[in-house]
Amino acid sequence: MKQILIIEDDRTTIELIKASLEKDGFEVTAISDGEAGLAQVRRSPPDLLLLDLMLPKLPGLEVCRQIRSDDNLNRLPILMLTARGDEMDRVVGLEVGADDYVTKPFSPRELVARVKALLRRAEPPPEGEKVVEVGKLKIDPSSYRVTRAGKPVPLSTLEFTLLHFLAARPNRVFTRDQLLDAVWGADRFVTPRSIDVYVRRLREKIETDPENPTHLKNMR
């Protein structure tokens, strides 16, 4: 049974989420402040984290940032909960490492679909895929590990999947929609512009100079 952790301080929202996910067979735990929630993630990592941005004691963005900076947790799927219309919060959330977002108020059916989609993408890849080497980068799909000049590069599951897709197809140009179809597939909830955020995150991690990239280039 997949374990879902909710870090959210609104009791009504927690009850709605718990009822929706438990009905689909998930085991759900809820914590109402960011500090205690982060401690719980570190103590017993769930299969997926539902994270509100506005939290007491420790903001959701900082919770997300600390999870992504932890080598033992950086592949944890994170689904942000944001208020409708707060586009800047969503962009910043994606930039600090969230995998997807859902805006309040949301439909329970949509929420469950997003959770299932993130869990599917977090599943181990098929065995037998070859290691891809590009310059000093070494990308191993069997372990989701990336190293640059022998040093590990921590990536979330979606960051790794996007990087591996591009690295395995060098010198080809893809539109945002093509990348969404290839990496997100039928589970595509993010917008084409969200691709820019993921690419920017990858550049900051794999490029020596993210402002003048040698691996991930834009073509007009």
Side-chain angles (χ1 to χ4, degrees):
M1 183 181 292
K2 295 291 186 181
Q3 312 242 340
I4 310 296
L5 175 63
I6 308 167
I7 308 179
E8 162 69 66
D9 64 337
D10 181 74
R11 177 52 54 185
T12 302
T13 301
I14 290 174
E15 291 175 355
L16 175 62
I17 294 173
K18 284 193 71 173
S20 303
L21 292 175
E22 288 175 348
K23 184 179 178 181
D24 259 75
F26 294 103
E27 184 175 328
V28 183
T29 302
I31 294 178
S32 59
D33 75 75
E35 195 173 272
L38 180 59
Q40 174 65 20
V41 170
R42 287 172 169 160
R43 183 166 53 249
S44 180
D47 294 297
L48 181 140
L49 174 63
L50 279 165
L51 178 65
D52 189 33
L53 292 187
M54 303 298 292
L55 293 168
K57 296 189 178 180
L58 192 66
L61 289 177
E62 183 58 28
V63 172
C64 187
R65 187 179 288 111
Q66 291 197 34
I67 288 172
R68 287 296 181 244
S69 66
D70 188 325
D71 289 346
N72 296 318
L73 299 172
N74 60 60
R75 285 190 54 211
L76 172 65
I78 299 177
L79 178 60
M80 284 190 307
L81 304 173
T82 70
R84 185 175 299 279
D86 290 346
E87 182 177 357
M88 183 53 66
D89 282 347
R90 294 197 290 272
V91 170
V92 173
L94 292 174
E95 286 180 339
V96 299
D99 293 300
D100 196 2
Y101 60 83
V102 63
T103 55
K104 303 175 186 178
F106 50 82
S107 82
R109 182 177 296 180
E110 179 189 7
L111 177 72
V112 172
R114 300 276 187 111
V115 166
K116 289 181 177 179
L118 283 180
L119 288 171
R120 279 194 294 271
R121 285 196 290 268
E123 291 176 356
E127 293 185 5
E129 291 195 52
K130 297 180 180 179
V131 172
V132 178
E133 296 192 42
V134 182
K136 296 180 180 180
L137 287 176
K138 187 174 182 180
I139 305 162
D140 184 356
S142 66
S143 62
Y144 274 99
R145 285 179 55 83
V146 175
T147 57
R148 186 178 69 176
K151 297 181 179 179
V153 179
L155 298 180
S156 71
T157 299
L158 274 172
E159 288 171 340
F160 180 91
T161 305
L162 178 59
L163 176 62
H164 180 256
F165 176 82
L166 292 169
R169 298 159 181 81
N171 302 314
R172 290 180 59 183
V173 178
F174 297 93
T175 66
R176 293 179 181 87
D177 282 318
Q178 286 174 325
L179 291 175
L180 283 174
D181 287 339
V183 177
W184 281 261
D187 299 325
R188 53 186 290 180
F189 293 107
V190 297
T191 65
R193 282 293 171 183
S194 297
I195 292 292
D196 298 357
V197 178
Y198 286 100
V199 169
R200 186 159 61 247
R201 273 166 44 183
L202 281 174
R203 282 185 178 138
E204 290 172 354
K205 294 183 177 184
I206 69 169
E207 300 283 3
T208 303
D209 181 1
E211 297 300 321
N212 296 286
T214 59
H215 296 301
L216 298 175
K217 293 180 177 288
N218 286 355
M219 300 290 291
R220 292 188 180 276

